[in-house]
């Protein structure tokens, strides 16, 4: 059966790619080369022993599923790995830095979900017959230009291209790194006031907020220090007095209630 060519993916265009141990074009080409045998393995493992389906019959659908799968996984990989580390309480769970290695993991995971009963047998997975069928199907797809290299490079570019931070900081990074960046280090990540007021703001505005809301923060700290014996007016007067004192600069640098309390005391 001839292989159809339907929606093989975007054509590669120029763009800023991930800075990795390889040059940009080399990393993209290496990943693009890997996609074809990866697809062949999925098609062979999913149809081995099937009297009604061959690798060429399922190739179009599995190609699209595979591209969608690795794209989605690349966007959530960091977050998923961090969650798994917390569940397993394994701080040493290292994430690979090489994009090729990461995509290889995605491909293996996708392949396992598509194997039929025979495809799960260890003897088949390690057999020369399987490797021969995969090689033959790779050659067939290559000869018929079922998934041309330039199309696969388009997919690789999508996976490797740096994109703008979703929270609009100046950082450009891989999609798969976006979740970790936005949650842990992005200066635009939202945060609530550490003093307990109702304000929320980007993390990089913390210093400005602490300075502008110093009197309000002082009042909250004084309410805790002087739980009894002070009226609301007296606490307000004391907060205003501290705000106008020579120590204002030191007070404004406090970034949480504990540090501000220590300065006030």
């Amino acid at each position: 059966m001839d292989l159809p060519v339907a929606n093989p993916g975007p054509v590669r265009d120029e763009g800023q790619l991930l800075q990795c141990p390889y040059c940009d074009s080399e990393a993209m080409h290496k990943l693009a080369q890997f996609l074809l045998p990866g697809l062949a393995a999925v098609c062979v493992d999913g149809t081995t022993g099937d009297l009604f389906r061959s690798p060429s019959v399922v190739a179009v659908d599995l190609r699209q599923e595979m591209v969608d799968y690795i794209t989605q996984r690349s966007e959530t990989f960091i977050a998923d790995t961090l969650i798994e580390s917390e569940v397993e309480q394994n701080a040493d769970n290292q994430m690979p830095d090489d994009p090729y290695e990461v995509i290889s993991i995605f491909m293996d995971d996708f392949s396992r979900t598509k194997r039929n009963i025979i495809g799960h047998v260890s003897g088949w997975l390690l057999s020369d017959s399987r490797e021969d069928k995969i090689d033959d199907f790779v050659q067939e797809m290559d000869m018929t230009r079922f998934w041309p290299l330039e199309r696969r490079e388009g997919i690789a570019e999508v996976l490797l291209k740096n994109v703008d931070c979703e929270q609009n900081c100046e950082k450009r990074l891989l999609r798969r790194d976006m979740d970790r960046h936005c949650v842990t280090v992005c200066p635009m990540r939202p945060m609530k006031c550490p003093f307990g007021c109702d304000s929320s703001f980007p993390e990089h505005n913390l210093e400005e907020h602490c300075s502008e809301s110093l009197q309000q923060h002082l009042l909250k700290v004084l309410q805790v220090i002087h739980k009894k014996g002070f009226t609301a007016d007296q606490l307000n007067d004391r907060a205003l007095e501290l705000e106008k004192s020579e120590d204002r600069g030191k007070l404004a640098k406090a970034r949480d209630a504990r540090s501000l309390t220590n300065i006030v005391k």
Side-chain angles (χ1 to χ4, degrees):
M1 177 178 180
D2 292 336
L3 282 164
V5 180
N7 297 321
V11 178
R12 180 179 66 84
D13 56 15
E14 296 301 322
Q16 182 176 359
L17 303 182
L18 171 68
Q19 298 299 317
C20 67
Y22 319 100
C23 67
D24 293 341
S25 59
E26 184 178 348
M28 186 171 59
H29 183 73
K30 180 180 179 181
L31 179 55
Q33 292 281 55
F34 176 68
L35 290 175
L36 197 62
L39 175 61
V42 173
C43 294
V44 169
D45 288 342
T47 58
T48 296
D50 193 324
L51 299 178
F52 303 100
R53 299 190 308 163
S54 65
S56 59
V57 170
V58 300
V60 171
D61 290 339
L62 287 181
R63 177 180 59 191
Q64 187 60 55
E65 286 186 46
M66 186 181 75
V67 170
D68 291 343
Y69 179 86
I70 61 179
T71 301
Q72 188 273 333
R73 283 290 305 276
S74 71
E75 295 173 351
T76 61
F77 178 63
I78 294 295
D80 292 344
T81 305
L82 291 175
I83 291 173
E84 290 175 4
S85 297
E86 291 178 359
V87 171
E88 298 173 2
Q89 296 183 343
N90 181 10
D92 296 327
N93 188 8
Q94 296 294 322
M95 294 168 287
D97 294 323
D98 186 347
Y100 176 79
E101 184 178 350
V102 173
I103 299 302
S104 296
I105 294 173
F106 300 161
M107 295 284 289
D108 289 341
D109 291 345
F110 178 75
S111 179
R112 280 194 290 270
T113 68
K114 297 302 178 181
R115 290 171 186 160
N116 60 18
I117 296 177
I118 296 177
H120 282 284
V121 177
S122 59
W124 162 252
L125 294 175
L126 299 175
S127 68
D128 292 336
S129 176
R130 175 179 181 267
E131 294 300 322
D132 290 342
K133 287 186 176 182
I134 291 174
D135 290 342
D136 289 344
F137 193 48
V138 168
Q139 293 180 21
E140 180 182 351
M141 288 191 290
D142 197 27
M143 291 176 60
T144 58
R145 290 185 57 80
F146 169 73
W147 200 3
L149 179 61
E150 61 270 19
R151 296 288 184 173
R152 283 178 276 135
E153 286 182 338
I155 299 298
E157 182 183 45
V158 171
L159 296 172
L160 296 179
K161 181 185 290 186
N162 284 339
V163 294
D164 292 330
C165 170
E166 293 176 351
Q167 296 178 151
N168 298 318
C169 79
E170 297 179 353
K171 184 75 173 178
R172 291 180 62 85
L173 61 157
L174 276 176
R175 284 182 176 83
R176 70 179 182 88
D177 293 333
M178 187 67 70
D179 288 340
R180 179 172 61 177
H181 167 78
C182 289
V183 171
T184 61
V185 298
C186 179
M188 294 297 291
R189 67 185 186 274
M191 68 173 298
K192 293 183 178 180
C193 173
F195 294 91
C197 67
D198 296 330
S199 301
S200 60
F201 41 83
E203 188 272 342
H204 80 103
N205 287 345
L206 176 60
E207 180 178 351
E208 178 183 352
H209 171 75
C210 289
S211 178
E212 293 179 350
S213 303
L214 178 58
Q215 184 177 352
Q216 183 180 358
H217 296 164
L218 284 168
L219 183 58
K220 285 185 172 293
V221 167
L222 291 171
Q223 288 171 343
V224 175
I225 296 175
H226 305 291
K227 294 181 179 179
K228 296 180 180 179
F230 281 75
T231 65
D233 288 340
Q234 288 175 319
L235 291 175
N236 282 323
D237 290 342
R238 178 56 178 158
L240 182 60
E241 178 184 347
L242 287 169
E243 185 187 22
K244 294 181 178 180
S245 70
E246 295 180 354
D247 291 330
R248 189 190 192 287
K250 184 186 299 184
L251 294 167
K253 290 181 179 179
R255 295 294 178 261
D256 54 55
R258 175 178 293 183
S259 58
L260 185 59
T261 299
N262 291 336
I263 298 173
V264 170
K265 286 183 175 181

